[in-house]
Amino acid sequence: MSGDKVVEQVKESLVRVACCQIEPRVGCKDENVEKTLRFVEEAVKKGAQIIVLPELANTGYVFETRREAFALSEPIPEGPTTKVWEESAREHGIYIAAGITEIEEKSLYNTEVLLGPEGYVGKYRKLHLWNREKFFFEPGDLGLPVFNTEVGRLALMVCYDLWFPEVARIYAVQGADLILNSTNWVAGREVQPDRDKITPAVCVAQSNMNAVFIAAADRIGIERDQPFLGHSLITDPRGLILAGPASRDQEEIIVADCNLVDARKAKSRSRLNHIMTDRRTDIYDILLGYEAVPFSW
């Protein structure tokens, strides 16, 4: 059966996605985790089936020393934060994607974990470390996995990864429908309205170029003199904004209904245009380092 016929038979795969924009506090792990659980509860009341929390949601972001980062880190999946989020996902029958400071032996990673109704699903380690993150974390070493779930094909990315076109494209080639981006977009000391438009524009562009949904959950607040941008948003495979951008300085939840079948349909822009099969892999795959096994379109 051809891919087009399969898409025609599957009328919809509707899922409600929520991004929880919160303000973690560095070093206050118990307080942060408790806050995430409250926001998950509120998102569930809004009907959310997939919930995204910010980057390093359990520890805060601006570490002063590597020793501090080590003290706040946890193994995955056996660490207490992952277990608490896993319990919440099981209880509510939902998926939770959230950022966490991970330790493995003597290495630290800026990690996003995915939990579902069945428990631990998997994790992704941030590939592109931003600025001072390089002092604390090792670059991600788990590649770009796509997780097949009962609600759709889910992929993870963290913050700065969004700025590298290879990440979203490789996910799209592997058949991802929805990318869950746990992020801590930093902001300038003063509000700059034009600059604030850049991050939503990058989400829009990546969704449009790769025909994927993107749900980006940012944080707010000022942590050790570093302001954060907020502006969480959810975009569709055409590049339209379904929810958000959220405010710059308020904790809030944004929600959108996403028909994940649309990600498959949008890859065929017309009878003659298909943004996956039209790729000139004979020319540029080797140069760009694409080693992902393509989805069978």
Side-chain angles (χ1 to χ4, degrees), residues 41-65:
E41 292 276 356
E42 288 302 312
V44 168
K45 291 177 183 178
K46 296 177 181 290
Q49 299 157 279
I50 300 175
I51 298 171
V52 192
L53 296 165
E55 178 180 6
L56 304 186
N58 71 324
T59 60
Y61 180 78
V62 185
F63 301 124
E64 289 185 328
T65 65

mmCIF file with all atom_site columns, all heavy atoms in Angstrom, residues 41-65:
data_model
loop_
_atom_site.group_PDB
_atom_site.id
_atom_site.type_symbol
_atom_site.label_atom_id
_atom_site.label_alt_id
_atom_site.label_comp_id
_atom_site.label_asym_id
_atom_site.label_entity_id
_atom_site.label_seq_id
_atom_site.pdbx_PDB_ins_code
_atom_site.Cartn_x
_atom_site.Cartn_y
_atom_site.Cartn_z
_atom_site.occupancy
_atom_site.B_iso_or_equiv
_atom_site.pdbx_formal_charge
_atom_site.auth_seq_id
_atom_site.auth_comp_id
_atom_site.auth_asym_id
_atom_site.auth_atom_id
_atom_site.pdbx_PDB_model_num
ATOM 1   N N   . GLU A 1 41 ? -0.598 19.244 36.229 1.00 0.00 ? 41 GLU A N   1
ATOM 2   C CA  . GLU A 1 41 ? -1.995 19.055 36.643 1.00 0.00 ? 41 GLU A CA  1
ATOM 3   C C   . GLU A 1 41 ? -2.915 20.042 35.933 1.00 0.00 ? 41 GLU A C   1
ATOM 4   O O   . GLU A 1 41 ? -3.996 19.672 35.446 1.00 0.00 ? 41 GLU A O   1
ATOM 5   C CB  . GLU A 1 41 ? -2.116 19.241 38.167 1.00 0.00 ? 41 GLU A CB  1
ATOM 6   C CG  . GLU A 1 41 ? -1.455 18.174 38.997 1.00 0.00 ? 41 GLU A CG  1
ATOM 7   C CD  . GLU A 1 41 ? -2.339 16.955 39.203 1.00 0.00 ? 41 GLU A CD  1
ATOM 8   O OE1 . GLU A 1 41 ? -3.500 16.984 38.748 1.00 0.00 ? 41 GLU A OE1 1
ATOM 9   O OE2 . GLU A 1 41 ? -1.858 15.982 39.814 1.00 0.00 ? 41 GLU A OE2 1
ATOM 10  N N   . GLU A 1 42 ? -2.501 21.305 35.859 1.00 0.00 ? 42 GLU A N   1
ATOM 11  C CA  . GLU A 1 42 ? -3.315 22.317 35.194 1.00 0.00 ? 42 GLU A CA  1
ATOM 12  C C   . GLU A 1 42 ? -3.436 22.033 33.707 1.00 0.00 ? 42 GLU A C   1
ATOM 13  O O   . GLU A 1 42 ? -4.510 22.216 33.107 1.00 0.00 ? 42 GLU A O   1
ATOM 14  C CB  . GLU A 1 42 ? -2.727 23.709 35.421 1.00 0.00 ? 42 GLU A CB  1
ATOM 15  C CG  . GLU A 1 42 ? -2.898 24.233 36.834 1.00 0.00 ? 42 GLU A CG  1
ATOM 16  C CD  . GLU A 1 42 ? -4.366 24.302 37.240 1.00 0.00 ? 42 GLU A CD  1
ATOM 17  O OE1 . GLU A 1 42 ? -5.180 24.829 36.460 1.00 0.00 ? 42 GLU A OE1 1
ATOM 18  O OE2 . GLU A 1 42 ? -4.691 23.816 38.341 1.00 0.00 ? 42 GLU A OE2 1
ATOM 19  N N   . ALA A 1 43 ? -2.347 21.593 33.093 1.00 0.00 ? 43 ALA A N   1
ATOM 20  C CA  . ALA A 1 43 ? -2.391 21.271 31.677 1.00 0.00 ? 43 ALA A CA  1
ATOM 21  C C   . ALA A 1 43 ? -3.309 20.086 31.405 1.00 0.00 ? 43 ALA A C   1
ATOM 22  O O   . ALA A 1 43 ? -4.036 20.061 30.401 1.00 0.00 ? 43 ALA A O   1
ATOM 23  C CB  . ALA A 1 43 ? -0.982 20.983 31.158 1.00 0.00 ? 43 ALA A CB  1
ATOM 24  N N   . VAL A 1 44 ? -3.289 19.109 32.301 1.00 0.00 ? 44 VAL A N   1
ATOM 25  C CA  . VAL A 1 44 ? -4.191 17.956 32.162 1.00 0.00 ? 44 VAL A CA  1
ATOM 26  C C   . VAL A 1 44 ? -5.646 18.413 32.233 1.00 0.00 ? 44 VAL A C   1
ATOM 27  O O   . VAL A 1 44 ? -6.509 17.933 31.484 1.00 0.00 ? 44 VAL A O   1
ATOM 28  C CB  . VAL A 1 44 ? -3.886 16.902 33.247 1.00 0.00 ? 44 VAL A CB  1
ATOM 29  C CG1 . VAL A 1 44 ? -4.985 15.842 33.299 1.00 0.00 ? 44 VAL A CG1 1
ATOM 30  C CG2 . VAL A 1 44 ? -2.530 16.251 32.981 1.00 0.00 ? 44 VAL A CG2 1
ATOM 31  N N   . LYS A 1 45 ? -5.939 19.364 33.128 1.00 0.00 ? 45 LYS A N   1
ATOM 32  C CA  . LYS A 1 45 ? -7.299 19.896 33.222 1.00 0.00 ? 45 LYS A CA  1
ATOM 33  C C   . LYS A 1 45 ? -7.732 20.573 31.927 1.00 0.00 ? 45 LYS A C   1
ATOM 34  O O   . LYS A 1 45 ? -8.928 20.641 31.616 1.00 0.00 ? 45 LYS A O   1
ATOM 35  C CB  . LYS A 1 45 ? -7.399 20.890 34.384 1.00 0.00 ? 45 LYS A CB  1
ATOM 36  C CG  . LYS A 1 45 ? -7.272 20.263 35.757 1.00 0.00 ? 45 LYS A CG  1
ATOM 37  C CD  . LYS A 1 45 ? -7.304 21.316 36.849 1.00 0.00 ? 45 LYS A CD  1
ATOM 38  C CE  . LYS A 1 45 ? -7.107 20.699 38.231 1.00 0.00 ? 45 LYS A CE  1
ATOM 39  N NZ  . LYS A 1 45 ? -7.081 21.732 39.302 1.00 0.00 ? 45 LYS A NZ  1
ATOM 40  N N   . LYS A 1 46 ? -6.759 21.074 31.160 1.00 0.00 ? 46 LYS A N   1
ATOM 41  C CA  . LYS A 1 46 ? -7.048 21.690 29.868 1.00 0.00 ? 46 LYS A CA  1
ATOM 42  C C   . LYS A 1 46 ? -7.118 20.663 28.745 1.00 0.00 ? 46 LYS A C   1
ATOM 43  O O   . LYS A 1 46 ? -7.261 21.010 27.566 1.00 0.00 ? 46 LYS A O   1
ATOM 44  C CB  . LYS A 1 46 ? -5.979 22.738 29.541 1.00 0.00 ? 46 LYS A CB  1
ATOM 45  C CG  . LYS A 1 46 ? -5.942 23.919 30.497 1.00 0.00 ? 46 LYS A CG  1
ATOM 46  C CD  . LYS A 1 46 ? -4.807 24.879 30.161 1.00 0.00 ? 46 LYS A CD  1
ATOM 47  C CE  . LYS A 1 46 ? -4.739 26.050 31.132 1.00 0.00 ? 46 LYS A CE  1
ATOM 48  N NZ  . LYS A 1 46 ? -5.876 26.978 30.970 1.00 0.00 ? 46 LYS A NZ  1
ATOM 49  N N   . GLY A 1 47 ? -6.985 19.390 29.102 1.00 0.00 ? 47 GLY A N   1
ATOM 50  C CA  . GLY A 1 47 ? -7.108 18.322 28.123 1.00 0.00 ? 47 GLY A CA  1
ATOM 51  C C   . GLY A 1 47 ? -5.820 17.918 27.448 1.00 0.00 ? 47 GLY A C   1
ATOM 52  O O   . GLY A 1 47 ? -5.835 17.149 26.478 1.00 0.00 ? 47 GLY A O   1
ATOM 53  N N   . ALA A 1 48 ? -4.674 18.389 27.941 1.00 0.00 ? 48 ALA A N   1
ATOM 54  C CA  . ALA A 1 48 ? -3.400 18.095 27.290 1.00 0.00 ? 48 ALA A CA  1
ATOM 55  C C   . ALA A 1 48 ? -3.044 16.618 27.398 1.00 0.00 ? 48 ALA A C   1
ATOM 56  O O   . ALA A 1 48 ? -3.200 15.998 28.453 1.00 0.00 ? 48 ALA A O   1
ATOM 57  C CB  . ALA A 1 48 ? -2.290 18.948 27.889 1.00 0.00 ? 48 ALA A CB  1
ATOM 58  N N   . GLN A 1 49 ? -2.548 16.074 26.287 1.00 0.00 ? 49 GLN A N   1
ATOM 59  C CA  . GLN A 1 49 ? -2.060 14.691 26.245 1.00 0.00 ? 49 GLN A CA  1
ATOM 60  C C   . GLN A 1 49 ? -0.542 14.624 26.142 1.00 0.00 ? 49 GLN A C   1
ATOM 61  O O   . GLN A 1 49 ? 0.055  13.612 26.476 1.00 0.00 ? 49 GLN A O   1
ATOM 62  C CB  . GLN A 1 49 ? -2.693 13.967 25.063 1.00 0.00 ? 49 GLN A CB  1
ATOM 63  C CG  . GLN A 1 49 ? -4.212 13.883 25.138 1.00 0.00 ? 49 GLN A CG  1
ATOM 64  C CD  . GLN A 1 49 ? -4.835 13.681 23.772 1.00 0.00 ? 49 GLN A CD  1
ATOM 65  O OE1 . GLN A 1 49 ? -5.002 14.627 23.010 1.00 0.00 ? 49 GLN A OE1 1
ATOM 66  N NE2 . GLN A 1 49 ? -5.154 12.442 23.449 1.00 0.00 ? 49 GLN A NE2 1
ATOM 67  N N   . ILE A 1 50 ? 0.063  15.695 25.640 1.00 0.00 ? 50 ILE A N   1
ATOM 68  C CA  . ILE A 1 50 ? 1.517  15.828 25.584 1.00 0.00 ? 50 ILE A CA  1
ATOM 69  C C   . ILE A 1 50 ? 1.865  17.165 26.228 1.00 0.00 ? 50 ILE A C   1
ATOM 70  O O   . ILE A 1 50 ? 1.324  18.194 25.838 1.00 0.00 ? 50 ILE A O   1
ATOM 71  C CB  . ILE A 1 50 ? 2.049  15.791 24.146 1.00 0.00 ? 50 ILE A CB  1
ATOM 72  C CG1 . ILE A 1 50 ? 1.690  14.464 23.462 1.00 0.00 ? 50 ILE A CG1 1
ATOM 73  C CG2 . ILE A 1 50 ? 3.560  15.997 24.128 1.00 0.00 ? 50 ILE A CG2 1
ATOM 74  C CD1 . ILE A 1 50 ? 2.084  14.410 21.986 1.00 0.00 ? 50 ILE A CD1 1
ATOM 75  N N   . ILE A 1 51 ? 2.769  17.134 27.211 1.00 0.00 ? 51 ILE A N   1
ATOM 76  C CA  . ILE A 1 51 ? 3.098  18.342 27.966 1.00 0.00 ? 51 ILE A CA  1
ATOM 77  C C   . ILE A 1 51 ? 4.606  18.549 27.922 1.00 0.00 ? 51 ILE A C   1
ATOM 78  O O   . ILE A 1 51 ? 5.380  17.629 28.206 1.00 0.00 ? 51 ILE A O   1
ATOM 79  C CB  . ILE A 1 51 ? 2.616  18.222 29.416 1.00 0.00 ? 51 ILE A CB  1
ATOM 80  C CG1 . ILE A 1 51 ? 1.079  18.062 29.447 1.00 0.00 ? 51 ILE A CG1 1
ATOM 81  C CG2 . ILE A 1 51 ? 3.044  19.436 30.232 1.00 0.00 ? 51 ILE A CG2 1
ATOM 82  C CD1 . ILE A 1 51 ? 0.519  17.730 30.808 1.00 0.00 ? 51 ILE A CD1 1
ATOM 83  N N   . VAL A 1 52 ? 5.004  19.771 27.568 1.00 0.00 ? 52 VAL A N   1
ATOM 84  C CA  . VAL A 1 52 ? 6.425  20.107 27.468 1.00 0.00 ? 52 VAL A CA  1
ATOM 85  C C   . VAL A 1 52 ? 6.783  21.101 28.571 1.00 0.00 ? 52 VAL A C   1
ATOM 86  O O   . VAL A 1 52 ? 6.082  22.102 28.769 1.00 0.00 ? 52 VAL A O   1
ATOM 87  C CB  . VAL A 1 52 ? 6.766  20.707 26.089 1.00 0.00 ? 52 VAL A CB  1
ATOM 88  C CG1 . VAL A 1 52 ? 8.289  20.773 25.912 1.00 0.00 ? 52 VAL A CG1 1
ATOM 89  C CG2 . VAL A 1 52 ? 6.140  19.894 24.963 1.00 0.00 ? 52 VAL A CG2 1
ATOM 90  N N   . LEU A 1 53 ? 7.871  20.814 29.273 1.00 0.00 ? 53 LEU A N   1
ATOM 91  C CA  . LEU A 1 53 ? 8.405  21.686 30.310 1.00 0.00 ? 53 LEU A CA  1
ATOM 92  C C   . LEU A 1 53 ? 9.749  22.256 29.840 1.00 0.00 ? 53 LEU A C   1
ATOM 93  O O   . LEU A 1 53 ? 10.384 21.696 28.944 1.00 0.00 ? 53 LEU A O   1
ATOM 94  C CB  . LEU A 1 53 ? 8.596  20.904 31.607 1.00 0.00 ? 53 LEU A CB  1
ATOM 95  C CG  . LEU A 1 53 ? 7.317  20.347 32.248 1.00 0.00 ? 53 LEU A CG  1
ATOM 96  C CD1 . LEU A 1 53 ? 7.663  19.299 33.297 1.00 0.00 ? 53 LEU A CD1 1
ATOM 97  C CD2 . LEU A 1 53 ? 6.500  21.469 32.860 1.00 0.00 ? 53 LEU A CD2 1
ATOM 98  N N   . PRO A 1 54 ? 10.221 23.338 30.449 1.00 0.00 ? 54 PRO A N   1
ATOM 99  C CA  . PRO A 1 54 ? 11.447 23.981 29.972 1.00 0.00 ? 54 PRO A CA  1
ATOM 100 C C   . PRO A 1 54 ? 12.717 23.149 30.169 1.00 0.00 ? 54 PRO A C   1
ATOM 101 O O   . PRO A 1 54 ? 12.726 22.113 30.836 1.00 0.00 ? 54 PRO A O   1
ATOM 102 C CB  . PRO A 1 54 ? 11.508 25.278 30.792 1.00 0.00 ? 54 PRO A CB  1
ATOM 103 C CG  . PRO A 1 54 ? 10.111 25.527 31.234 1.00 0.00 ? 54 PRO A CG  1
ATOM 104 C CD  . PRO A 1 54 ? 9.530  24.159 31.458 1.00 0.00 ? 54 PRO A CD  1
ATOM 105 N N   . GLU A 1 55 ? 13.789 23.660 29.614 1.00 0.00 ? 55 GLU A N   1
ATOM 106 C CA  . GLU A 1 55 ? 15.135 23.127 29.770 1.00 0.00 ? 55 GLU A CA  1
ATOM 107 C C   . GLU A 1 55 ? 15.566 23.227 31.244 1.00 0.00 ? 55 GLU A C   1
ATOM 108 O O   . GLU A 1 55 ? 15.285 24.221 31.918 1.00 0.00 ? 55 GLU A O   1
ATOM 109 C CB  . GLU A 1 55 ? 16.062 23.962 28.884 1.00 0.00 ? 55 GLU A CB  1
ATOM 110 C CG  . GLU A 1 55 ? 17.532 23.619 28.925 1.00 0.00 ? 55 GLU A CG  1
ATOM 111 C CD  . GLU A 1 55 ? 18.340 24.535 28.005 1.00 0.00 ? 55 GLU A CD  1
ATOM 112 O OE1 . GLU A 1 55 ? 17.755 25.492 27.435 1.00 0.00 ? 55 GLU A OE1 1
ATOM 113 O OE2 . GLU A 1 55 ? 19.550 24.294 27.863 1.00 0.00 ? 55 GLU A OE2 1
ATOM 114 N N   . LEU A 1 56 ? 16.232 22.187 31.726 1.00 0.00 ? 56 LEU A N   1
ATOM 115 C CA  . LEU A 1 56 ? 16.729 22.150 33.107 1.00 0.00 ? 56 LEU A CA  1
ATOM 116 C C   . LEU A 1 56 ? 15.664 22.600 34.096 1.00 0.00 ? 56 LEU A C   1
ATOM 117 O O   . LEU A 1 56 ? 15.920 23.363 35.028 1.00 0.00 ? 56 LEU A O   1
ATOM 118 C CB  . LEU A 1 56 ? 17.999 23.001 33.252 1.00 0.00 ? 56 LEU A CB  1
ATOM 119 C CG  . LEU A 1 56 ? 19.159 22.653 32.314 1.00 0.00 ? 56 LEU A CG  1
ATOM 120 C CD1 . LEU A 1 56 ? 20.395 23.471 32.666 1.00 0.00 ? 56 LEU A CD1 1
ATOM 121 C CD2 . LEU A 1 56 ? 19.485 21.167 32.326 1.00 0.00 ? 56 LEU A CD2 1
ATOM 122 N N   . ALA A 1 57 ? 14.450 22.078 33.885 1.00 0.00 ? 57 ALA A N   1
ATOM 123 C CA  . ALA A 1 57 ? 13.309 22.515 34.688 1.00 0.00 ? 57 ALA A CA  1
ATOM 124 C C   . ALA A 1 57 ? 13.433 22.115 36.145 1.00 0.00 ? 57 ALA A C   1
ATOM 125 O O   . ALA A 1 57 ? 12.807 22.729 37.007 1.00 0.00 ? 57 ALA A O   1
ATOM 126 C CB  . ALA A 1 57 ? 12.016 21.934 34.094 1.00 0.00 ? 57 ALA A CB  1
ATOM 127 N N   . ASN A 1 58 ? 14.236 21.107 36.441 1.00 0.00 ? 58 ASN A N   1
ATOM 128 C CA  . ASN A 1 58 ? 14.317 20.659 37.829 1.00 0.00 ? 58 ASN A CA  1
ATOM 129 C C   . ASN A 1 58 ? 15.407 21.367 38.630 1.00 0.00 ? 58 ASN A C   1
ATOM 130 O O   . ASN A 1 58 ? 15.358 21.388 39.863 1.00 0.00 ? 58 ASN A O   1
ATOM 131 C CB  . ASN A 1 58 ? 14.521 19.135 37.892 1.00 0.00 ? 58 ASN A CB  1
ATOM 132 C CG  . ASN A 1 58 ? 15.908 18.695 37.454 1.00 0.00 ? 58 ASN A CG  1
ATOM 133 O OD1 . ASN A 1 58 ? 16.494 19.285 36.533 1.00 0.00 ? 58 ASN A OD1 1
ATOM 134 N ND2 . ASN A 1 58 ? 16.426 17.654 38.065 1.00 0.00 ? 58 ASN A ND2 1
ATOM 135 N N   . THR A 1 59 ? 16.394 21.975 37.958 1.00 0.00 ? 59 THR A N   1
ATOM 136 C CA  . THR A 1 59 ? 17.543 22.519 38.694 1.00 0.00 ? 59 THR A CA  1
ATOM 137 C C   . THR A 1 59 ? 17.736 24.017 38.546 1.00 0.00 ? 59 THR A C   1
ATOM 138 O O   . THR A 1 59 ? 18.476 24.619 39.334 1.00 0.00 ? 59 THR A O   1
ATOM 139 C CB  . THR A 1 59 ? 18.851 21.858 38.217 1.00 0.00 ? 59 THR A CB  1
ATOM 140 O OG1 . THR A 1 59 ? 19.020 22.124 36.810 1.00 0.00 ? 59 THR A OG1 1
ATOM 141 C CG2 . THR A 1 59 ? 18.838 20.373 38.475 1.00 0.00 ? 59 THR A CG2 1
ATOM 142 N N   . GLY A 1 60 ? 17.102 24.640 37.550 1.00 0.00 ? 60 GLY A N   1
ATOM 143 C CA  . GLY A 1 60 ? 17.516 25.970 37.162 1.00 0.00 ? 60 GLY A CA  1
ATOM 144 C C   . GLY A 1 60 ? 18.693 25.880 36.214 1.00 0.00 ? 60 GLY A C   1
ATOM 145 O O   . GLY A 1 60 ? 19.235 24.793 35.952 1.00 0.00 ? 60 GLY A O   1
ATOM 146 N N   . TYR A 1 61 ? 19.116 27.032 35.694 1.00 0.00 ? 61 TYR A N   1
ATOM 147 C CA  . TYR A 1 61 ? 20.011 27.034 34.535 1.00 0.00 ? 61 TYR A CA  1
ATOM 148 C C   . TYR A 1 61 ? 21.397 27.622 34.791 1.00 0.00 ? 61 TYR A C   1
ATOM 149 O O   . TYR A 1 61 ? 22.401 27.072 34.357 1.00 0.00 ? 61 TYR A O   1
ATOM 150 C CB  . TYR A 1 61 ? 19.336 27.811 33.403 1.00 0.00 ? 61 TYR A CB  1
ATOM 151 C CG  . TYR A 1 61 ? 20.127 27.916 32.129 1.00 0.00 ? 61 TYR A CG  1
ATOM 152 C CD1 . TYR A 1 61 ? 20.189 26.838 31.245 1.00 0.00 ? 61 TYR A CD1 1
ATOM 153 C CD2 . TYR A 1 61 ? 20.791 29.087 31.806 1.00 0.00 ? 61 TYR A CD2 1
ATOM 154 C CE1 . TYR A 1 61 ? 20.921 26.930 30.070 1.00 0.00 ? 61 TYR A CE1 1
ATOM 155 C CE2 . TYR A 1 61 ? 21.517 29.189 30.628 1.00 0.00 ? 61 TYR A CE2 1
ATOM 156 C CZ  . TYR A 1 61 ? 21.577 28.107 29.763 1.00 0.00 ? 61 TYR A CZ  1
ATOM 157 O OH  . TYR A 1 61 ? 22.284 28.210 28.589 1.00 0.00 ? 61 TYR A OH  1
ATOM 158 N N   . VAL A 1 62 ? 21.481 28.752 35.489 1.00 0.00 ? 62 VAL A N   1
ATOM 159 C CA  . VAL A 1 62 ? 22.736 29.502 35.562 1.00 0.00 ? 62 VAL A CA  1
ATOM 160 C C   . VAL A 1 62 ? 23.579 28.996 36.732 1.00 0.00 ? 62 VAL A C   1
ATOM 161 O O   . VAL A 1 62 ? 23.517 29.521 37.847 1.00 0.00 ? 62 VAL A O   1
ATOM 162 C CB  . VAL A 1 62 ? 22.484 31.017 35.684 1.00 0.00 ? 62 VAL A CB  1
ATOM 163 C CG1 . VAL A 1 62 ? 23.816 31.782 35.641 1.00 0.00 ? 62 VAL A CG1 1
ATOM 164 C CG2 . VAL A 1 62 ? 21.580 31.502 34.552 1.00 0.00 ? 62 VAL A CG2 1
ATOM 165 N N   . PHE A 1 63 ? 24.368 27.967 36.475 1.00 0.00 ? 63 PHE A N   1
ATOM 166 C CA  . PHE A 1 63 ? 25.237 27.425 37.506 1.00 0.00 ? 63 PHE A CA  1
ATOM 167 C C   . PHE A 1 63 ? 26.465 28.327 37.682 1.00 0.00 ? 63 PHE A C   1
ATOM 168 O O   . PHE A 1 63 ? 26.976 28.902 36.720 1.00 0.00 ? 63 PHE A O   1
ATOM 169 C CB  . PHE A 1 63 ? 25.695 26.014 37.137 1.00 0.00 ? 63 PHE A CB  1
ATOM 170 C CG  . PHE A 1 63 ? 24.579 25.042 36.939 1.00 0.00 ? 63 PHE A CG  1
ATOM 171 C CD1 . PHE A 1 63 ? 24.452 24.333 35.755 1.00 0.00 ? 63 PHE A CD1 1
ATOM 172 C CD2 . PHE A 1 63 ? 23.640 24.838 37.934 1.00 0.00 ? 63 PHE A CD2 1
ATOM 173 C CE1 . PHE A 1 63 ? 23.419 23.428 35.560 1.00 0.00 ? 63 PHE A CE1 1
ATOM 174 C CE2 . PHE A 1 63 ? 22.600 23.941 37.761 1.00 0.00 ? 63 PHE A CE2 1
ATOM 175 C CZ  . PHE A 1 63 ? 22.493 23.233 36.571 1.00 0.00 ? 63 PHE A CZ  1
ATOM 176 N N   . GLU A 1 64 ? 26.953 28.411 38.913 1.00 0.00 ? 64 GLU A N   1
ATOM 177 C CA  . GLU A 1 64 ? 28.148 29.206 39.175 1.00 0.00 ? 64 GLU A CA  1
ATOM 178 C C   . GLU A 1 64 ? 29.415 28.375 39.041 1.00 0.00 ? 64 GLU A C   1
ATOM 179 O O   . GLU A 1 64 ? 30.459 28.879 38.634 1.00 0.00 ? 64 GLU A O   1
ATOM 180 C CB  . GLU A 1 64 ? 28.082 29.817 40.572 1.00 0.00 ? 64 GLU A CB  1
ATOM 181 C CG  . GLU A 1 64 ? 27.049 30.939 40.702 1.00 0.00 ? 64 GLU A CG  1
ATOM 182 C CD  . GLU A 1 64 ? 27.097 31.602 42.054 1.00 0.00 ? 64 GLU A CD  1
ATOM 183 O OE1 . GLU A 1 64 ? 27.425 30.911 43.046 1.00 0.00 ? 64 GLU A OE1 1
ATOM 184 O OE2 . GLU A 1 64 ? 26.799 32.808 42.132 1.00 0.00 ? 64 GLU A OE2 1
ATOM 185 N N   . THR A 1 65 ? 29.328 27.100 39.399 1.00 0.00 ? 65 THR A N   1
ATOM 186 C CA  . THR A 1 65 ? 30.497 26.230 39.345 1.00 0.00 ? 65 THR A CA  1
ATOM 187 C C   . THR A 1 65 ? 30.077 24.849 38.848 1.00 0.00 ? 65 THR A C   1
ATOM 188 O O   . THR A 1 65 ? 28.913 24.458 38.933 1.00 0.00 ? 65 THR A O   1
ATOM 189 C CB  . THR A 1 65 ? 31.144 26.068 40.728 1.00 0.00 ? 65 THR A CB  1
ATOM 190 O OG1 . THR A 1 65 ? 30.218 25.373 41.592 1.00 0.00 ? 65 THR A OG1 1
ATOM 191 C CG2 . THR A 1 65 ? 31.505 27.415 41.340 1.00 0.00 ? 65 THR A CG2 1
#
